[in-house]
Amino acid sequence: MNAVTQKLTPEQAQVVIVGGGVIGCSVAYHLTKLGWQDVVVIERDQLTSGTTWHAAGLVVSSGFESETSLEIAKYTRELYTNLEQETGLSTGFKRVGFLQIAADQERLEDLQRKSNLARLFGINSEEISPSQAREMWPHADLDDVLAAYYVADDGRANPVDVTMSLAKGARLGGARIYEGVRVTDITRDQGQVTGVVTDQGHIKAEYVVNCAGMWARELGALAGVNIPLQAAEHYYLITGDIEGLDPQTPVLEDPARYAYYREEVGGMMIGLFEPVAKPWNIETIPGNFSFGEIEPDWDRMMPYLEVALERVPVAIDAGMRKFFCGPESFTPDLSPIVGEAPELRNFFVAAGLNSLGILTGGGIGQLLAQWIVDGLPDMDVTELNIDRFHGFHNNPKYRRDRTVEMLGQMYKIHYPNKPASTARNARQSVLHERLLARGAHFTESAGWEIADWYAPEGSAPEVNEYRWGRQNWFDYHAAEHRACRETITLMDMSFMSKFLVQGQDAEQFLNRICCNDIAVEPGRVVYTQWTNEKGGIEADLTVSRLSQGRFMVVCSDTTHRHVETWMQRHIAPGEQISTTDVTSSYAQLNLHGPKSRALMEDLTSADMSNDSFPYLSLKVIDIDYARVIAMRVTYVGELGWELYIPTEHALQTYDRIVDAGEAHGLVHAGLQTLSSLRLEKGYRD
C-alpha cells in the first residue's frame, strides 16, 4: 500500500476528503464512480488508524427502524459482497448469517416489528424456533429464548480489508490518497469553503468533506461548524480457543444482555454495548492517537461482562485472550451526522456513526457522494442531516451527560415516543414551572422539554412506563383528547420555531420558495410547503403576513435550522430582506375546542366572531396587559387559535387564560393528545 501512496500533496483539487477511515475511503470511491476524478483524501497517519482498524466488522441489514437506515445497510452489504471483483482486494465479507434472540415478550415484539419492516424492503428476516436457534449456536445457552430472527445473507467483514479495497477502488477511479499529512485549518470566504491548510501546505478545493471520525468535532470547529459527537469507551472480549466453534457460525445478538457474539480465530468475540457508558476525552481527542487502545476499566465493566458470559458459559472456561477497549464516537440522538454544514457552503460531513461505521460505510459513502455531485440527497435524510443540531448539543457538559446513555441505547428497545433520560432540561418554555405544577410529564425534542401528558392532581402514575401496548397514562391522555372535542384544551407549543422575515423584497422572496401564494393581504395565514428542484419537500409550515413587508414563518422544532438555512441560502443577490429567529421571543399557547371562542371573548375586547375572525386569519389582540398575535389555525380539527405572546408577558397571560378557563372547562393537554387528535382528523405529519 505504501509503495503506491502519493507523498506530496497537490496545490488544488475539486474535493478534499479529510480522514482515511472506512467512511472517507467510501466517499472517495463513490465520488469517482460518479465521474469525479479530482478527489484527494488526506489521512493524518495511516489508513484505518483512527477507529476503523479495531471495529468488530459486523455487516447486518436488519434491526433498523427506518427506510433510510435499512437502505444504507442493505447497500453496504451488497457492496462488500462484490467489491473484490472490481478491485482485486477482498473485503473479508462472509455470509455467516445474523441471529437475534428474544427471551421476553417485549423484546420479541421489538424484533417482530423490525423483522416486518426489513422484509418490506426486501431483507429476508425470518422467525425461527428456539430449537432451530440452538442448532445454529450449540455453544450458547438458549433455554430461556422464546424465538429468534435470522438473516442468512448478513455476516461479517474485515474492517481493514474493506477500507483498503475501497481505497484501491477510489485510486482506480482517479482519486489520490495522502498519508502522514495533517490538516491544521479550513479556509473559507464569504460563507463558502475554499480549501484546507495542511502541514505540507494549502490545498485549494471546491468541496471539503469531514470524515475525521472522532476528530470530526474539532475539525469542524476550525471551520466554525457545529458537530456534536463524543468519543466513548467501547469494549469487546476475545476468548481462547473453543472446540467446535465453526467460523461459519452466525453472528449472535442478545440485546437484552447488551452483547453480541461471533467466532474469532478459533475463539469467541463478545462485544458489549453497556447501558451506562463512559465518555472518553471530553475536551479534545489526542492528535497522535493511532492504532491506540484504552486501558480497560475492569471494575466498571465486570458486571456487564458477567451478564454477557451467562449466555455462553463455554466462554468462561476458554480463558481470555484479549479484553479490548477502544474509542468510538456517538451522537446525541444515535443517528449519524451527514450532509452539508448549515454554517458553511460546500463543507460536507460524514461522521458520528455510533459504532456502525463498517456496517453502514458503503451506503453513507454513496449517499454523501451523490449529495455532493447532484446538490441534493436521493433519499430522506431528515434523521441524518447535520442541520438538526443546535449549538448547545456541543457543550461539553451536554456531550458528557448524553453519551453516558447513548452507547447502551444501541441495544435497548426504542418504544414509541420514549425520549432520552440524560442531558434533560436543556431548553424550557418560560411556562415550564406552571405546567409542572399542573401535573405535566415531559418528553424531549430538539432539547426542548415539552408537556407530553398531564396527570390529574393526586393521581398516579408518577412515572412513564413505556411498552408496546397502552401505557400507564393512557386514560389521562384519553381525557385530554375528549376535552378538545367536547370543551376546550390549552397546549403550550412554545417550542415551535418562529422567524420574522422582513424587508421590501420579503413578499417576492417568500413567494419564490413557497408552493402556495403568499401575496395575500396583511392578517392572513398561509399553509404551504417548500420544495427542492426534484420536487421533494424541504419544509412544511405556515407563513403569516403581519404587515406589508413583515411575515412570520412558523415550523416545527425539529426543522428549525433546516428552515433557517434554506431561507438564508435562497435570498437572491441584491434582495432587501432580513430573517430573524424569534423563537425565544414568543411563548405559544394553543386554545382549541368547541368552547374556545367563548373563552376568547372573555379574554379580549377584540371581535372573535367568525365573520370578523375567519379561518386562516390573524389579529393582534389584547389579553390582560399583553398584545398577542392570535392566529386562527388548527392542527387538531377543532375551532381554535394559536396565541403568540411576547415572552415577558407569558406568565401573566397564561394565568389570566387559566383563571378565565375554569368557567369553560379548560383542560391542559400534551403532545400525545396533539398527535392523536391530528391522526383522528387525518392531518399528515
Side-chain angles (χ1 to χ4, degrees):
M1 179 268 296
N2 287 331
V4 297
T5 301
Q6 303 288 329
K7 294 297 183 183
L8 299 174
T9 58
E11 292 185 358
Q12 63 181 36
Q14 186 175 16
V15 184
V16 171
I17 298 168
V18 183
V22 65
I23 304 300
C25 291
S26 180
V27 173
Y29 169 83
H30 286 95
L31 282 171
T32 64
K33 284 297 175 186
L34 294 173
W36 286 25
Q37 296 183 326
D38 190 10
V39 176
V40 166
V41 178
I42 300 293
E43 165 55 41
R44 66 185 177 87
D45 197 318
Q46 298 178 40
L47 299 186
T48 79
S49 64
T51 59
T52 295
W53 71 276
H54 64 68
L58 306 189
V59 182
V60 302
S61 58
S62 59
F64 294 97
E65 299 172 342
S66 73
E67 176 181 356
T68 298
S69 55
L70 278 166
E71 292 292 358
I72 286 173
K74 182 180 174 183
Y75 172 83
T76 299
R77 185 185 68 185
E78 298 313 307
L79 175 67
Y80 296 170
T81 303
N82 302 313
L83 194 58
E84 183 178 359
Q85 299 174 15
E86 176 187 344
T87 67
L89 294 181
S90 173
T91 61
F93 178 63
K94 300 177 181 178
R95 290 187 187 270
V96 299
F98 179 48
L99 182 66
Q100 295 174 291
I101 57 175
D104 62 76
Q105 288 295 335
E106 289 290 289
R107 183 69 64 175
L108 180 57
E109 182 164 354
D110 180 48
L111 294 184
Q112 286 172 339
R113 288 167 176 266
K114 291 174 179 175
S115 179
N116 289 340
L117 183 65
R119 287 196 296 271
L120 182 65
F121 293 98
I123 297 166
N124 186 21
S125 175
E126 57 177 320
E127 182 176 338
I128 63 174
S129 67
S131 60
Q132 289 174 300
R134 276 190 286 270
E135 290 177 8
M136 294 181 181
W137 254 91
H139 290 85
D141 179 0
L142 303 180
D143 289 346
D144 61 337
V145 170
L146 301 177
Y149 283 85
Y150 178 64
V151 181
D153 290 334
D154 287 346
R156 46 184 282 202
N158 184 303
V160 174
D161 289 350
V162 165
T163 306
M164 294 307 176
S165 190
L166 287 167
K168 184 174 180 182
R171 289 193 188 97
L172 291 172
R176 292 163 288 171
I177 298 175
Y178 299 87
E179 295 177 294
V181 178
R182 291 181 179 271
V183 172
T184 59
D185 204 357
I186 306 295
T187 57
R188 43 194 163 147
D189 183 50
Q190 296 184 350
Q192 183 164 315
V193 74
T194 58
V196 300
V197 178
T198 78
D199 55 8
Q200 293 190 17
H202 181 230
I203 306 175
K204 296 180 181 179
E206 296 177 40
Y207 298 86
V208 173
V209 188
N210 181 349
C211 299
M214 61 183 173
W215 290 271
R217 183 184 76 244
E218 295 169 64
L219 182 66
L222 294 176
V225 172
N226 179 51
I227 305 175
L229 54 81
Q230 175 58 48
E233 294 182 1
H234 188 39
Y235 289 83
Y236 57 73
L237 177 139
I238 300 176
T239 73
D241 290 346
I242 296 177
E243 185 178 352
L245 185 55
D246 191 333
Q248 293 301 118
T249 300
V251 175
L252 173 65
E253 183 180 87
D254 185 355
R257 294 178 184 270
Y258 299 96
Y260 64 86
Y261 313 80
R262 71 164 177 81
E263 186 274 342
E264 175 69 13
V265 196
M268 186 184 300
M269 174 185 283
I270 304 173
L272 301 171
F273 283 93
E274 69 273 15
V276 181
K278 185 177 181 180
W280 184 70
N281 285 344
I282 299 291
E283 297 299 333
T284 185
I285 304 298
N288 60 353
F289 190 83
S290 297
F291 300 106
E293 300 184 32
I294 303 170
E295 185 67 27
D297 187 341
W298 287 92
D299 291 339
R300 186 177 73 84
M301 292 304 298
M302 279 309 298
Y304 304 120
L305 185 57
E306 289 171 357
V307 169
L309 286 170
E310 289 173 357
R311 181 60 70 195
V312 286
V314 66
I316 299 174
D317 298 327
M320 182 175 60
R321 188 180 300 164
K322 178 75 173 178
F323 190 37
F324 176 83
C325 178
E328 294 279 359
S329 57
F330 293 83
T331 64
D333 59 2
L334 215 60
S335 287
I337 300 176
V338 181
E340 186 179 16
E343 302 92 341
L344 189 61
R345 285 181 179 270
N346 290 358
F347 185 89
F348 284 79
V349 179
L353 276 299
N354 302 289
S355 195
L356 300 181
I358 301 299
L359 194 156
T360 60
I364 292 290
Q366 182 202 40
L367 167 64
L368 196 65
Q370 184 274 326
W371 194 339
I372 292 169
V373 171
D374 292 348
L376 289 169
D378 61 355
M379 62 175 66
D380 179 6
V381 296
T382 306
E383 67 191 79
L384 314 175
N385 202 322
I386 184 174
D387 66 13
R388 70 190 187 274
F389 289 120
H390 296 264
F392 73 87
H393 286 113
N394 215 349
N395 287 353
K397 176 175 170 52
Y398 187 97
R399 287 187 277 109
R400 180 189 296 110
D401 293 349
R402 179 56 64 88
T403 303
V404 166
E405 177 182 14
M406 284 299 102
L407 184 143
Q409 286 290 340
M410 294 289 293
Y411 278 174
K412 287 187 177 179
I413 297 175
H414 296 171
Y415 290 111
N417 308 309
K418 185 177 181 180
S421 59
T422 53
R424 294 293 296 269
N425 294 301
R427 307 168 83 184
Q428 293 182 356
S429 160
V430 69
L431 300 170
H432 183 87
E433 295 301 321
R434 292 285 204 279
L435 306 183
L436 190 63
R438 288 278 171 174
H441 284 241
F442 293 91
T443 187
E444 182 261 353
S445 177
W448 285 101
E449 294 297 314
I450 303 172
D452 206 27
W453 52 274
Y454 289 81
E457 185 177 357
S459 61
E462 294 183 355
V463 296
N464 294 357
E465 294 178 3
Y466 290 98
R467 58 174 70 96
W468 291 115
R470 284 188 175 180
Q471 316 222 327
N472 60 336
W473 40 263
F474 178 82
D475 289 343
Y476 306 149
H477 162 216
E480 295 171 21
H481 181 110
R482 191 175 301 111
C484 191
R485 293 286 183 243
E486 297 175 357
T487 55
I488 181 173
T489 54
L490 179 151
M491 295 183 186
D492 178 26
M493 302 289 288
S494 300
F495 58 88
M496 294 292 285
S497 301
K498 313 164 195 78
F499 301 93
L500 283 182
V501 181
Q502 304 175 90
Q504 65 182 31
D505 297 320
E507 178 188 302
Q508 168 185 297
F509 163 66
L510 286 169
N511 240 357
R512 189 170 66 249
I513 62 175
C514 292
C515 293
N516 212 340
D517 184 10
I518 58 88
V520 294
E521 292 298 315
R524 298 296 298 173
V525 179
V526 179
Y527 170 56
T528 187
Q529 285 76 40
W530 296 349
T531 57
N532 56 44
E533 294 173 358
K534 294 182 178 181
I537 294 176
E538 295 288 343
D540 179 82
L541 40 72
T542 59
V543 178
S544 301
R545 189 162 206 162
L546 304 178
S547 60
Q548 192 62 32
R550 190 164 176 260
F551 296 81
M552 180 180 281
V553 173
V554 180
C555 62
S556 72
D557 57 313
T558 55
T559 61
H560 184 121
R561 293 192 77 206
H562 188 75
V563 165
E564 185 175 33
T565 303
W566 191 262
M567 285 193 291
Q568 291 170 350
R569 291 189 175 175
H570 284 81
I571 297 174
E575 283 188 317
Q576 300 297 308
I577 298 166
S578 67
T579 62
T580 308
D581 179 4
V582 294
T583 301
S584 298
S585 300
Y586 292 93
Q588 180 183 336
L589 290 175
N590 289 9
L591 293 173
H592 284 99
K595 295 185 178 181
S596 58
R597 178 176 282 117
L599 173 57
M600 291 297 294
E601 288 173 341
D602 285 352
L603 291 169
T604 181
S605 61
D607 185 350
M608 305 303 292
S609 67
N610 190 63
D611 289 341
S612 176
F613 209 147
Y615 185 55
L616 291 179
S617 65
L618 70 87
K619 289 183 180 182
V620 177
I621 66 173
D622 61 283
I623 298 179
D624 207 58
Y625 296 139
R627 298 293 285 171
V628 174
I629 301 172
M631 299 183 188
R632 190 174 159 197
V633 189
T634 179
Y635 192 44
V636 299
E638 292 292 342
L639 172 70
W641 283 265
E642 296 178 355
L643 305 178
Y644 296 84
I645 309 161
T647 302
E648 65 269 27
H649 293 292
L651 291 174
Q652 69 188 54
T653 304
Y654 167 85
D655 291 341
R656 176 74 181 93
I657 292 171
V658 171
D659 288 345
E662 289 185 8
H664 300 273
L666 178 71
V667 172
H668 284 65
L671 205 59
Q672 290 295 327
T673 295
L674 179 73
S675 295
S676 61
L677 288 164
R678 67 97 184 162
L679 281 166
E680 185 176 68
K681 182 65 177 178
Y683 287 153
R684 304 294 196 272
D685 181 10

